[in-house]
Amino acid sequence: MRTDTTEQQLLEGLALNNRKAIETIYKQHYNMVQALILNNSGYPDDARDIFQEAMIVLYEKVRSGTFELNCQLKTYLYSVCRRLWLKRLGQLQRSFSEVENLQDTVPVEDELERHEQRNRDFQVMDQSLNSLGEPCRSLLKAYYLETKSMVEIACDFGYTNADNAKNQKYKCLMRLKKIFSQNIK
Amino acid sequence: MVFEALTQLILEKIAVHLGYESLIWVLNKEA
């Protein structure tokens, strides 16, 4: 079964960080995931965390170039959340007895493996940025995470102009590269 | 309101995701 036109539009919206598309996906599917978690040894906070992670997995998928899931969106989200929750339960050493299967499932192991690898890389990046110190950490975050312009950064960080801020950014990148390379090994 | 807050959270996570992805890409390019 392929995704229908409306679902495809939602996925395209998600790929563009469209707030309305994301909110619609939440409204349509969050309760299903919450029921899965609450019926299987989980709490509302667990449901929130698992759904957030599943949305990131979905985001990675739609940004990788395909807006078609070859199944309904609810089946995909349910499958991802179920696998994530099974893994989390194992880590928490809580019991898992899925009394009822609320949805069909599809294989998502390969995608979750890629997602976990990406998470590991991001954790290393996080540690590397924390080791970097100031002002480099804030400068790189301002540019890459907050997408501020070099003019804004020059103003915020007290550089005389955008070119000086750009030079500083380059030096910070080189320092980060050294730390990241050591940490990623 | 709950969904608005959750949507805001995911948008923030996506911003971090994109930022780290760009940083790793740049560092690899500079290798």
Side-chain angles (χ1 to χ4, degrees):
Chain A
M1 192 186 300
R2 288 182 166 228
T3 43
D4 64 28
T5 311
T6 312
E7 289 197 341
Q8 197 164 319
Q9 285 169 347
L10 285 178
L11 297 178
E12 288 174 11
L14 172 62
L16 296 169
N17 310 342
N18 179 285
R19 184 181 290 273
K20 189 74 192 165
I22 294 170
E23 203 173 314
T24 302
I25 296 172
Y26 264 104
K27 283 178 181 166
Q28 289 180 349
H29 303 293
Y30 187 73
N31 288 343
M32 168 190 74
V33 172
Q34 186 165 248
L36 167 74
I37 306 293
L38 297 184
N39 287 337
N40 292 281
S41 312
Y43 300 99
D45 282 356
D46 297 318
R48 189 198 60 196
D49 292 348
I50 292 291
F51 197 86
Q52 291 255 317
E53 194 163 357
M55 285 292 280
I56 294 290
V57 174
L58 180 64
Y59 178 75
E60 287 167 349
K61 183 170 179 64
V62 296
R63 282 195 71 240
S64 72
T66 173
F67 296 116
E68 287 188 358
L69 299 175
N70 294 318
C71 66
Q72 287 186 305
L73 181 52
K74 71 175 178 183
T75 307
Y76 184 81
L77 282 171
Y78 182 83
S79 304
V80 171
C81 288
R82 186 175 179 279
R83 292 299 311 172
L84 289 172
W85 184 233
L86 272 169
K87 188 169 182 190
R88 182 77 61 90
L89 280 172
Q91 290 165 344
L92 296 171
Q93 297 183 321
R94 286 190 219 158
S95 62
F96 184 82
S97 55
E98 197 175 0
V99 179
E100 53 178 342
N101 211 1
L102 301 173
Q103 294 288 335
D104 293 333
T105 55
V106 289
V108 289
E109 284 74 16
D110 289 350
E111 278 142 272
L112 287 180
E113 203 171 306
R114 282 194 292 274
H115 170 70
E116 281 166 12
Q117 180 57 53
R118 204 169 274 133
N119 271 353
R120 284 192 288 272
D121 291 348
F122 288 177
Q123 272 176 7
V124 174
M125 177 54 74
D126 202 43
Q127 289 162 0
S128 303
L129 279 167
N130 285 333
S131 307
L132 191 58
E134 297 293 356
C136 280
R137 180 177 58 183
S138 296
L139 195 157
L140 292 178
K141 282 191 170 182
Y143 186 78
Y144 288 99
L145 275 68
E146 296 158 29
T147 61
K148 287 188 176 177
S149 70
M150 292 318 297
V151 172
E152 287 175 291
I153 289 172
C155 184
D156 291 350
F157 289 79
Y159 297 111
T160 46
N161 55 47
D163 280 342
N164 281 343
K166 200 173 173 182
N167 285 337
Q168 184 60 43
K169 177 171 80 71
Y170 181 77
K171 287 177 189 169
C172 292
L173 269 177
M174 291 303 101
R175 285 183 54 200
L176 179 65
K177 183 183 161 189
K178 195 174 173 185
I179 297 169
F180 183 73
S181 305
Q182 285 167 349
N183 290 347
I184 201 84
K185 283 176 186 167
Chain B
M1 189 59 196
V2 172
F3 291 122
E4 280 176 29
L6 289 171
T7 299
Q8 182 56 38
L9 270 178
I10 199 72
L11 283 167
E12 287 166 13
K13 276 198 169 186
I14 285 173
V16 173
H17 188 97
L18 286 174
Y20 282 11
E21 205 173 62
S22 298
L23 266 172
I24 291 171
W25 185 84
V26 169
L27 294 188
N28 285 335
K29 195 180 71 151
E30 296 285 345

